Amino acid sequence: MSSAPRVLRAGERGILLEFDSLAAAVGCRAALSRAAIPGVEDAVSGARTVMLRFDPAMTSREAVAAAVTAIEPEPGLLPRSGAPVEIPVVYDSADLVSTAALLGLSVDGLIAAHTGRTWVCAFGGFAPGFGYLVSDEPSLDVPRLETPRTRVPAGAVGLAGEFSGVYPRASPGGWRLIGRTDVPMWSPERTPPALLAVGSAVRFVEAGRS
């Protein structure tokens, strides 16, 4: 591995891998999903971490750590095989104009940039069904709101830092809202309940605007 992660103990059955960047964490997670290290039961991704849970009856912490450090991370953001998940978006939300201005774009330019790239779910968190989406295209990096909203509606599509995402349920939030979708990101009646998994490719499709 070109840049070895920091390996930390995480309970009796886990190790935590810490990386210097999101790209390194994503590359390692992609490689791990294809490597199938014996005894590793689960992997949970974060912005700069990957948590591995292993079966101590099948392997040891030392063996898992050695196998991880021997894996070469995959380059770039490699989505899982299969067609991207298409999410129709109406671009009419409160921060659309101000976000475009922050990026030095017109509203049309921001919408074109948001819909004209393939996003990849790097990791999940915050709420069930929330995927942190990243792209290899030039960044749409914007700061979070200085004062978070007390309520963001379910289906709100936003940008924050280098990420895009869709709120799966109504909740407080500080992301800059540029659109909305009716596609449920989390549904207990669906198998699996989350629409997106780590590695899922996503394409936003314009369904209207204000």
Side-chain angles (χ1 to χ4, degrees):
M1 188 175 286
S2 57
S3 180
R6 183 183 180 199
V7 181
L8 303 173
R9 180 187 179 95
E12 295 301 317
R13 303 182 59 180
I15 64 172
L16 181 68
L17 311 175
E18 289 188 343
F19 299 87
D20 294 333
S21 67
L22 172 65
V26 170
C28 180
R29 179 66 176 82
L32 286 169
S33 68
R34 293 163 174 79
I37 298 174
V40 172
E41 300 175 326
D42 194 17
V44 179
S45 299
R48 287 174 174 78
T49 61
V50 177
M51 174 84 77
L52 299 179
R53 186 181 66 187
F54 63 90
D55 182 352
M58 295 181 61
T59 189
S60 66
R61 192 183 318 277
E62 294 74 20
V64 173
V68 167
T69 55
I71 292 173
E72 193 66 29
E74 307 230 354
L77 301 171
L78 299 177
R80 295 182 175 185
S81 60
V85 177
E86 291 194 350
I87 300 178
V89 178
V90 176
Y91 288 92
D92 65 352
S93 295
D95 303 318
L96 179 63
V97 174
S98 61
T99 301
L102 277 173
L103 292 165
L105 299 171
S106 65
V107 168
D108 285 346
L110 173 54
I111 294 172
H114 195 247
T115 58
R117 64 187 63 200
T118 298
W119 299 85
V120 177
C121 183
F123 59 97
F126 172 63
F130 191 94
Y132 287 79
L133 308 178
V134 292
S135 171
D136 273 338
E137 298 292 326
S139 178
L140 295 177
D141 194 331
V142 289
R144 287 170 169 77
L145 298 174
E146 291 185 6
T147 302
R149 292 181 170 90
T150 57
R151 185 181 185 280
V152 175
V157 179
L159 295 169
E162 61 198 299
F163 303 107
S164 188
V166 181
Y167 282 77
R169 66 186 185 193
S171 64
W175 288 41
R176 295 182 182 272
L177 307 182
I178 61 173
R180 55 188 168 87
T181 183
D182 292 330
V183 175
M185 306 306 293
W186 177 269
S187 174
E189 291 76 33
R190 185 169 54 205
T191 303
L195 179 65
L196 305 178
V198 172
S200 294
V202 175
R203 296 285 299 204
F204 292 106
V205 179
E206 184 178 359
R209 67 175 78 183
S210 56

